């Protein structure tokens, strides 16, 4: 959590906390730590209660809806059955997009007046000189 803070910043934060809270700083730290401890205990008891109700072993990370469904409601076969039609659609779409991209590239190469074929050989054409305002006056 404090990985991106250096020693000077941590010291400045401690000095600021001392200036704000003064003599009450130790009690404020104790209250904060007690609150964090209580939150951890509440989360732990909620996961154990949910685990007892569902009859499976649930960790706190498993409470994300996608992870929960994948781990506890779908089997491997069900997940593969759901992914199979979508994977086919994805592969077809990717092939179509690649084909359109290649066709557009061919059209752009054909329509380019400078000729892109020279860039493929490594001979880059010099950029065209623009007429400046000074040349016109």
């Amino acid at each position: 959590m404090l990985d991106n803070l250096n020693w000077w910043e941590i010291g400045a934060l401690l000095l600021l906390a001392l200036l704000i809270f003064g003599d009450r700083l130790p009690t404020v730290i104790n209250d904060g730590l007690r609150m964090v401890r209580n939150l951890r205990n509440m989360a732990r008891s909620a996961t154990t209660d949910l685990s007892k109700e569902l009859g499976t072993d649930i960790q706190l990370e498993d409470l994300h809806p996608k992870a929960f469904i994948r781990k506890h409601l779908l089997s491997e076969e069900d997940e593969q059955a759901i992914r199979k039609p979508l994977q086919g659609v994805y592969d077809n779409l990717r092939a179509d997009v690649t084909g359109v991209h290649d066709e557009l590239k061919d059209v752009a190469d054909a329509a380019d007046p400078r000729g892109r074929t020279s860039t493929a050989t490594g001979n880059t054409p010099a950029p065209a000189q623009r007429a400046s305002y000074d040349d016109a006056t």
Side-chain angles (χ1 to χ4, degrees), residues 12-117:
L13 287 174
L14 288 175
L15 183 63
L16 182 66
L18 185 61
L19 290 174
I20 291 173
F21 295 110
D23 295 340
R24 297 179 296 138
L25 185 60
T27 57
V28 169
I29 291 173
N30 284 336
D31 290 343
L33 292 175
R34 188 177 313 115
M35 182 184 68
V36 169
R37 217 174 293 123
N38 287 338
L39 287 174
R40 279 190 195 151
N41 288 335
M42 285 179 9
R44 192 175 302 121
S45 66
T47 54
T48 56
D49 290 345
L50 189 61
S51 185
K52 286 178 187 176
E53 291 291 326
L54 294 176
T56 60
D57 184 31
I58 295 178
Q59 300 298 322
L60 189 59
E61 296 82 22
D62 297 338
L63 295 180
H64 189 275
K66 286 183 181 180
F68 183 81
I69 288 172
R70 254 191 222 125
K71 186 173 181 181
H72 298 288
L73 298 180
L74 290 178
S75 65
E76 287 289 325
E77 295 82 26
D78 293 339
E79 188 174 349
Q80 290 301 324
I82 290 172
R83 285 181 185 243
K84 188 175 183 178
L86 296 176
Q87 186 66 36
V89 169
Y90 174 75
D91 292 339
N92 291 338
L93 182 66
R94 186 167 182 89
D96 290 343
V97 167
T98 303
V100 169
H101 181 264
D102 292 341
E103 288 176 12
L104 285 174
K105 190 188 236 183
D106 292 341
V107 169
D109 286 342
D112 192 5
R114 291 182 286 171
R116 288 195 166 193
T117 56

